[in-house]
Amino acid sequence: DNPRFAWRGLMLDSSRHFQTIPEVKRFIDRMAAHKFNVFHWHLTDSHGWRIEIKKYPKLTEVGAWRNQPDYPKKGDKGRYGGFYTQEEIKDVIAYAKARHITIVPEVDMPGHSFAAVASYPRLGGLDKPQHVDYFFTYPANRQAFPSRHGFTDVLCVARPETVQFCKDVLDEVMALFPSEYIHIGGDEVEKHVWKQSKETQEFIKKNNLKNEDGLQSWFIQQIDNYLTSKGRKLLGWDEILQGGLAKNATVMSWQGEKGGIRAAKMGHDVVMSPQTYIYLDHGQSHSPLEPPHWPGHKPLNRVYNYEPIPPQLNAEEAKYILGVQANVWTAFIHKEWKLDLSTWPRATALAEVAWSPKEARDYNKFYTFMKQKHFKRLDYMEINYWRENTIDVGNWSPKDLKQNNEVVTMTFDLTGKVDKQKSEKLDLAFTYTSGAHALRIKEVSLLSGNKTVSVDQHDGHTGSSSKNNIYSVDLSKVQAGEKLTISVKAYGDGGNSSNGKVTLDTILTKRVN
């Protein structure tokens, strides 16, 4: 029994939400129990700088704190944030090492640098003060952020002092972290800032760079050369391919698999981390009871069935795939129980993907084992994992609806799907899955035989967003042996192009807030 991949990783974002040292150690404990061996620690971003850099104290004096409306409680206008001292980081590194886990730090450059520029405005090239970035609400309840108009999220790499700043920061990072790999981000660089900068355009022209992509490639090459001279390896998100890949760089492929495939074919090492399969801040169910999450649907079986070596690679090219990693971004994750809920049991599935040979994996066997054994282990470990018991009742499609908002009656057979001994009421969830139109629900009735025994009458809808889309009916008057039917009065909002499903949802998770 030995691992298939040398890189078996999880990433934790400590910028959007700051975890305490005990919370970080607990996350590491859970990783070790599942034989993950790489903890990718996302320490800086626009929403908070979390690592003490002694040469640049304002990074934590200013950059570690943001004015976050209504957090931690509604009406609160105080600062939110925190940072890790270098002594605390040394303690965490030793803790992880004792559990056979290597910590790979991420310090973002040249993009995702709002907090750094807030600390030292000259780094951004605009030479004017700006605040640390924040959310409209935190924890986020939708994919929306304040406008950055007039400010910058990108370092002005045309200035020698900015490049020197990056090297100085990396010196202190390398002095702390023994990891061979240093992650520098390199993703989502908002190049319109560079396009509008006369200083940057003159630098591009003077250095015979093709365009802004060429400038990004030039900067990444400078950092790659510097890390290589120190005996380390540069790791970055797949945007570091833009303008040409630095010669020693390793690519972490997050925008699907294309970046990883391209890098492997070029002879560069790759960690597969596609958001299309294994981003754990995305939703994992269609239940309306699941707390807010980043848009996307990555259920347990999708994670388990992910294959890290793409079929586009031949045997020689496949050797460049170091392994696989799932990422836990924390825009929607503000408490430790929610971190558990997003991570587990999907990380359990990824642990098997990373360890076991492809031919040895079988989802049905895996899930049977989870139900019989491993959910109990997670209980003993006090992990608040996501678990639901969902019974499919039926589906609706355009053929069931009419045009012009005309109310229709849809019926669904419940016979044999309900155990009256275990529940006095039923919670029926209506969940839109596709189409141009939402479903508007007016009334849900429960029939025992031909007699209506319970009615829930309220306006609800389910579409790109949902509200009041759970309907409860009472089982107390159901007669044994009679046929059970659900009758639904509803209409397509503006048309009949709507698809979705009706489920009986029971959430077994210990805490949903």
Side-chain angles (χ1 to χ4, degrees):
D1 184 25
N2 58 283
R4 181 185 181 193
F5 292 107
W7 189 296
R8 306 182 302 281
L10 289 181
M11 187 221 72
L12 178 61
D13 170 21
S14 293
S15 176
R16 276 76 177 200
H17 173 65
F18 175 71
Q19 298 88 23
T20 66
I21 293 296
E23 288 172 341
V24 173
K25 288 182 175 180
R26 184 175 177 271
F27 190 82
I28 290 170
D29 284 338
R30 287 9 179 187
M31 289 181 62
H34 289 80
K35 291 187 169 60
F36 286 100
N37 67 341
V38 178
F39 173 40
H40 174 177
W41 202 357
H42 187 77
L43 289 166
T44 78
D45 212 302
S46 295
H47 300 91
W49 185 285
R50 304 295 178 214
I51 177 173
E52 178 189 25
I53 301 297
K54 295 185 183 295
K55 189 169 184 177
Y56 298 98
K58 287 185 179 180
L59 289 172
T60 46
E61 292 172 3
V62 175
W65 308 93
R66 65 179 185 251
N67 289 321
Q68 185 61 63
D70 298 322
Y71 189 81
K73 60 182 183 294
K74 194 164 184 63
D76 198 329
K77 297 181 181 179
R79 296 194 309 165
Y80 170 75
F83 66 93
Y84 307 109
T85 68
Q86 293 196 2
E87 289 305 309
E88 287 175 323
I89 287 174
K90 290 176 184 177
D91 175 52
V92 173
I93 292 170
Y95 190 88
K97 182 180 179 181
R99 287 151 183 79
H100 307 285
I101 290 175
T102 298
I103 301 181
V104 173
E106 180 180 353
V107 177
D108 280 358
M109 55 184 75
H112 285 273
S113 298
F114 216 88
V117 177
S119 305
Y120 294 95
R122 277 195 57 80
L123 294 174
L126 301 181
D127 298 326
K128 68 176 184 178
Q130 67 179 48
H131 54 76
V132 177
D133 206 7
Y134 62 95
F135 298 91
F136 278 123
T137 61
Y138 188 79
N141 54 26
R142 57 197 174 100
Q143 186 178 351
F145 304 95
S147 171
R148 293 171 175 162
H149 180 69
F151 301 115
T152 182
D153 192 36
V154 181
L155 300 177
C156 180
V157 299
R159 292 181 173 177
E161 66 194 83
T162 302
V163 178
Q164 187 59 50
F165 163 84
C166 294
K167 292 178 179 179
D168 291 342
V169 168
L170 290 172
D171 281 343
E172 294 196 32
V173 170
M174 287 186 284
L176 288 170
F177 292 91
S179 166
E180 179 182 17
Y181 292 92
I182 303 295
H183 203 304
I184 56 88
D187 61 314
E188 297 179 326
V189 179
E190 296 175 358
K191 296 188 177 70
H192 69 274
V193 178
W194 288 347
K195 289 180 180 179
Q196 295 168 1
S197 167
K198 181 180 178 181
E199 180 180 6
T200 300
Q201 291 302 312
E202 289 176 352
F203 184 88
I204 290 173
K205 184 177 181 180
K206 179 180 178 181
N207 288 273
N208 297 316
L209 303 175
K210 185 176 181 180
N211 50 26
E212 291 76 24
D213 284 349
L215 176 60
Q216 176 174 325
S217 178
W218 172 88
F219 171 75
I220 298 297
Q221 186 67 64
Q222 306 308 303
I223 302 303
D224 179 41
N225 291 340
Y226 190 71
L227 291 175
T228 300
S229 74
K230 302 292 184 177
R232 306 299 184 95
K233 292 183 178 179
L234 182 147
L235 175 62
W237 303 107
D238 52 50
E239 285 95 329
I240 65 173
L241 285 155
Q242 294 172 3
L245 187 57
K247 63 180 180 180
N248 303 305
T250 297
V251 171
M252 186 167 278
S253 187
W254 77 274
Q255 297 181 104
E257 298 179 298
K258 289 183 179 179
I261 293 169
R262 180 181 165 195
K265 286 183 175 294
M266 294 167 62
H268 285 260
D269 287 339
V270 173
V271 177
M272 298 303 287
S273 187
Q275 61 88 17
T276 45
Y277 290 93
I278 51 176
Y279 263 38
L280 303 187
D281 57 318
H282 293 193
Q284 56 194 306
S285 80
H286 285 301
S287 170
L289 299 178
E290 186 176 0
H293 52 76
W294 196 265
H297 182 59
K298 308 296 180 291
L300 183 65
N301 61 346
R302 185 167 177 81
V303 174
Y304 185 86
N305 290 322
Y306 176 59
E307 170 48 44
I309 297 182
Q312 295 92 329
L313 301 180
N314 61 37
E316 189 61 32
E317 294 163 343
K319 293 178 181 178
Y320 291 104
I321 305 298
L322 299 179
V324 63
Q325 176 179 293
N327 302 322
V328 189
W329 301 100
T330 58
F332 288 80
I333 298 172
H334 64 298
K335 296 288 185 182
E336 193 172 31
W337 68 265
K338 181 76 185 293
L339 178 60
D340 277 0
L341 206 67
S342 298
T343 308
W344 309 101
R346 290 183 292 182
T348 305
L350 188 72
E352 188 161 312
V353 171
W355 189 279
S356 300
K358 178 182 178 181
E359 58 274 12
R361 301 202 321 262
D362 179 281
Y363 180 74
N364 291 330
K365 290 181 180 178
F366 166 78
Y367 194 68
T368 297
F369 167 75
M370 292 294 293
K371 289 189 293 184
Q372 293 176 349
K373 300 272 189 179
H374 200 62
F375 284 139
K376 294 177 183 177
R377 290 175 176 164
L378 298 180
D379 287 336
Y380 289 135
M381 296 167 73
E382 298 183 343
I383 293 177
N384 189 37
Y385 57 92
W386 176 262
R387 189 181 176 196
E388 62 182 294
N389 181 29
T390 299
I391 299 173
D392 290 332
V393 172
N395 300 278
W396 74 85
S397 65
K399 66 181 177 60
D400 301 308
L401 304 173
K402 295 184 178 181
Q403 299 285 352
N404 304 319
N405 293 4
E406 183 177 344
V407 176
V408 300
T409 298
M410 299 182 287
T411 59
F412 302 94
D413 188 2
L414 275 184
T415 308
K417 296 180 179 179
V418 175
D419 187 346
K420 184 183 174 183
Q421 305 301 317
K422 292 184 178 181
S423 178
E424 284 297 314
K425 72 168 189 173
L426 298 178
D427 288 330
L428 290 134
F430 291 76
T431 306
Y432 159 95
T433 55
S434 64
H437 303 118
L439 183 75
R440 298 278 177 176
I441 309 114
K442 306 292 291 183
E443 177 183 292
V444 173
S445 303
L446 174 64
L447 286 72
S448 180
N450 295 318
K451 183 178 179 181
T452 299
V453 295
S454 182
V455 178
D456 185 347
Q457 188 177 59
H458 70 262
D459 290 335
H461 76 270
T462 179
S464 57
S465 63
S466 299
K467 187 175 182 180
N468 300 325
N469 56 325
I470 298 177
Y471 287 75
S472 298
V473 290
D474 186 2
L475 289 173
S476 62
K477 296 181 181 179
V478 168
Q479 298 298 313
E482 288 193 330
K483 180 180 179 180
L484 292 183
T485 307
I486 287 292
S487 176
V488 179
K489 292 183 178 179
Y491 64 93
D493 190 0
N496 68 338
S497 176
S498 182
N499 298 275
K501 65 180 184 177
V502 185
T503 56
L504 286 170
D505 279 10
T506 303
I507 302 303
L508 306 179
T509 300
K510 293 186 284 296
R511 181 174 182 181
V512 173
N513 207 5

